[in-house]
Amino acid sequence: MTVARNPVIRGFAPDPSLIRVGEWYYVATSSFEWFPTIPLHRSRDLAHWEYAGHVRGAAPGGSLRGVPDSAGIWAPSLSWDGERFWVVYTIVRSVGTRYFDLDTYVSTATAVDGEWTAPRRVVSHGFDPALFHHEGRLWLLNMQSDHRPGGRRFAGIVLTELDRSTLRPLGDTHLLLQHDRLIEGPKLLIRDGWYYLILAEGGTGVEHGVRVARSRTLTGPYELDELPLLTTRDDPKVPLQKAGHAELVRTPSGEWFLSHLTARPLHTAHGIRCTLGRETAVQAVTWDSEGWPRLRQGGWHPAVEVEVPAAGAPTSGVPDGAGPPATPETVRASSEGLPTWPWSSPRAAPDASWVDTTTRPGWIRLRGRQGPESLWDQSVLAQRITEHRAEVEVTVEARPRTFGEAAGLTLRYNTASYLSLDLTWAEPEGEPQRGQQWRGEGRTVLSLLERDGDGARQVAVVEVEPGQPITLGASIDGEEARFWYLHDGLRTPVGPPLDFTHLSDDYGPRLRFTGTLAGIHAQDLVAAEFTADFSGFRLVCGAE
């Protein structure tokens, strides 16, 4: 046996959809407003996972420009029909309103790291869809939302048959289940003549959980299990919190395992703060004498360590072209020379109009565009932070001439929560901010900015020599982030320690759904011509 240590995919990897094809397990996770869209990972033992590509083209037109923070691509569901991989997912364009303004799409591929078909829109009752392949027929599961005043935003689970060729609905939509507690994220499986609905229950925060219902017929009625399959809502001391949004998979030897999202919180004076976002975990499952799934360790709390089957040799059940890809350490640029995984960018993939890796080999050149609070065209490349202790550094070379030009190192949750240490321009010391940069006077400075729910603040300003490469860094230790730069070979602090927990799912008036990333960025708010060169980016996340 092998021991899997949860989370098995760490740092901003929520809503896992788990399937098995031959000896390989595949997981798709939500990407929200970030590219690459719908990251895919694979494993042969459920414990050790590697990046396997992403669903290219999942955002029609290649853009999510303008979508709010934590909107975009929600809860993709992966499936395999014996010949092709299928993925169904929803693009949500409104958050915090009665209307989700969403569209649900389906795409297919013969290999997860191959070409995915152009997304086709299907009936869009709500988010968290799933496909159920059964006896040659195709069914779409979804939650439905009632936007009307007095209506329930989570108004039950519905099922619609789709034509396999046209993806148009066939016949009526069936209401499978309604429940007093919020339910979403439906998945279907068949076992011993029962149809089982695996449901996310209670929302995606600390009340999250997994509930199961079953029926002898596909279209119901469905009976709810009296007990949850998985939750931590009853014990805030369980190390893996927010456990929910699950899917069951069977191993080649007949054992059952559950994928689910979870979070590792920091316990602060203000409550829990999940700076790493929601992550992917696995649990072992057995079936009780009445035919209900139960966690192998008993109860409903997730285990940190889980015994899983050791990997076997690949079999002919593995689809052509689905062998192991390059590891994340070597997947740095696409064939076009553009940064790819583990790099991510908000609302659009990197393109040659603002990213250049060829002019200066070994460096990434960014052309500055809009500011860090834009929902449209930011020049940002970032990587997921996966542990509560981390260090990041990068060398930047740039010649900012105005206060609208800046480039540097950013720790970023979203447009309303970020920390950044930027090389930029400032007025001569002692001169007030009057926007007179065109006079040709001023200083090259490092500016430390903090943005949270109270707005943006300039925490510190340090004058530096213009036109020279400078190494910037940040050290993260639980609740604190400390910024620094190299001066005469020594780390020189910039400003005081900052509250890193503002960059978390739980900061602010409502839940947020992504995670914190560390990266590089550039902006030019006037001419959009300023460029900055970066080299030696290094993100090290320490084991806990």
Side-chain angles (χ1 to χ4, degrees):
M1 299 292 287
T2 299
V3 175
R5 183 170 179 82
N6 285 315
V8 292
I9 304 175
R10 304 168 85 84
F12 183 14
D15 308 320
S17 175
L18 172 67
I19 64 170
R20 179 178 64 85
V21 180
E23 297 290 338
W24 286 98
Y25 300 92
Y26 299 89
V27 157
T29 54
S30 293
S31 48
F32 296 93
E33 70 266 32
W34 288 90
F35 283 66
T37 48
I38 311 181
L40 302 164
H41 286 76
R42 87 174 100 220
S43 171
R44 285 182 46 225
D45 62 4
L46 293 170
H48 304 94
W49 292 84
E50 60 190 11
Y51 177 70
H54 68 279
V55 180
R56 299 176 181 86
S63 173
L64 292 172
R65 296 169 70 246
V67 304
D69 293 330
S70 289
I73 295 178
W74 285 19
S77 182
L78 198 59
S79 57
W80 168 257
D81 68 357
E83 297 180 353
R84 298 181 68 84
F85 291 94
W86 296 65
V87 66
V88 59
Y89 56 94
T90 298
I91 296 181
V92 175
R93 302 188 183 275
S94 297
V95 176
T97 73
R98 290 185 295 114
Y99 299 88
F100 290 107
D101 296 320
L102 52 78
D103 300 285
T104 297
Y105 294 97
V106 170
S107 181
T108 66
T110 56
V112 293
D113 56 353
E115 289 295 320
W116 288 83
T117 60
R120 290 191 284 172
R121 189 184 189 277
V122 296
V123 290
S124 303
H125 294 281
F127 53 82
D128 289 9
L131 294 174
F132 180 57
H133 306 269
H134 182 50
E135 297 179 345
R137 300 166 74 178
L138 179 65
W139 299 84
L140 174 68
L141 282 155
N142 221 328
M143 55 81 69
Q144 66 174 344
S145 176
D146 187 345
H147 65 271
R148 297 172 296 177
R152 298 180 61 185
R153 300 188 77 201
F154 297 82
I157 305 300
V158 296
L159 180 72
T160 308
E161 185 175 7
L162 301 181
D163 183 282
R164 287 180 57 87
S165 297
T166 67
L167 299 184
R168 294 189 60 82
L170 298 174
D172 295 332
T173 292
H174 306 273
L175 178 63
L176 302 187
L177 183 68
Q178 290 181 318
H179 184 41
D180 292 339
R181 187 184 286 269
L182 182 158
I183 53 173
E184 56 188 328
K187 302 290 193 297
L188 258 175
L189 64 89
I190 301 175
R191 180 182 181 272
D192 293 345
W194 287 100
Y195 294 89
Y196 287 89
L197 269 177
I198 313 300
L199 303 164
E201 182 185 48
T204 196
V206 294
E207 293 295 310
H208 207 19
V210 179
R211 198 74 176 271
V212 178
R214 68 182 182 184
S215 173
R216 286 295 188 183
T217 60
L218 176 60
T219 57
Y222 279 79
E223 167 199 6
L224 271 172
D225 187 2
E226 293 182 356
L227 300 176
L229 173 56
L230 178 75
T231 189
T232 52
R233 69 172 68 100
D234 60 327
D235 190 349
K237 295 181 181 179
V238 175
L240 300 178
Q241 287 289 308
K242 300 184 179 180
H245 197 101
E247 189 157 11
L248 278 163
V249 69
R250 195 176 187 184
T251 70
S253 61
E255 297 174 273
W256 290 86
F257 285 85
L258 185 82
S259 66
H260 66 95
L261 70 79
T262 192
R264 291 172 287 159
L266 295 169
H267 295 273
T268 78
H270 305 286
I272 70 166
R273 295 281 172 85
C274 298
T275 55
L276 307 178
R278 297 167 302 149
E279 307 169 287
T280 293
V282 297
Q283 303 295 326
V285 168
T286 60
W287 299 81
D288 70 14
S289 59
E290 297 183 0
W292 293 106
R294 304 288 181 224
L295 297 184
R296 184 170 64 191
Q297 67 268 24
W300 44 74
H301 293 163
V304 172
E305 293 188 346
V306 177
E307 286 191 349
V308 296
T315 71
S316 59
V318 179
D320 293 339
T327 65
E329 287 69 29
T330 59
V331 179
R332 296 293 177 180
S334 68
S335 58
E336 296 84 12
L338 297 171
T340 185
W341 191 270
W343 291 109
S344 293
S345 56
R347 295 177 174 82
D351 67 62
S353 71
W354 62 274
V355 182
D356 177 2
T357 62
T358 59
T359 299
R360 190 176 182 184
W363 293 71
I364 297 174
R365 175 168 294 171
L366 298 185
R367 178 176 64 85
R369 299 184 296 166
Q370 295 173 357
E373 297 176 25
S374 171
L375 301 179
W376 299 88
D377 293 316
Q378 291 193 45
S379 296
V380 173
L381 292 172
Q383 298 183 14
R384 286 157 170 78
I385 297 174
T386 60
E387 304 296 341
H388 290 130
R389 293 186 177 182
E391 282 207 345
V392 58
E393 68 177 49
V394 69
T395 298
V396 58
E397 184 174 347
R399 295 178 179 269
R401 298 162 299 172
T402 81
F403 62 79
E405 298 176 350
L409 177 67
T410 183
L411 304 179
R412 175 188 177 88
Y413 187 92
N414 61 18
T415 63
S417 296
Y418 59 84
L419 308 171
S420 62
L421 181 59
D422 296 334
L423 190 67
T424 187
W425 177 97
E427 289 84 358
E429 189 171 2
E431 182 176 313
Q433 293 182 188
R434 292 181 177 175
Q436 300 182 66
Q437 71 272 20
W438 54 82
R439 290 168 47 188
E441 301 174 0
R443 301 172 291 159
T444 299
V445 299
L446 293 177
S447 172
L448 179 59
L449 291 178
E450 179 180 35
R451 172 66 161 95
D452 58 23
D454 295 325
R457 294 172 297 283
Q458 188 176 57
V459 178
V461 177
V462 177
E463 186 170 355
V464 296
E465 185 177 355
Q468 298 300 311
I470 186 167
T471 298
L472 313 178
S475 302
I476 300 160
D477 187 357
E479 299 180 39
E480 289 188 347
R482 297 171 182 263
F483 284 84
W484 47 268
Y485 72 105
L486 287 185
H487 180 64
D488 292 335
L490 300 176
R491 290 187 178 185
T492 302
V494 181
L498 299 179
D499 190 342
F500 187 64
T501 70
H502 290 178
L503 280 61
S504 72
D505 292 353
D506 316 281
Y507 175 75
R510 67 169 183 256
L511 284 172
R512 308 188 291 184
F513 304 135
T514 53
T516 305
L517 295 86
I520 57 177
H521 74 130
Q523 68 183 49
D524 182 351
L525 305 181
V526 177
E529 294 176 349
F530 165 74
T531 62
D533 292 354
F534 299 86
S535 73
F537 182 86
R538 182 180 68 94
L539 173 61
V540 178
C541 298
E544 297 186 0

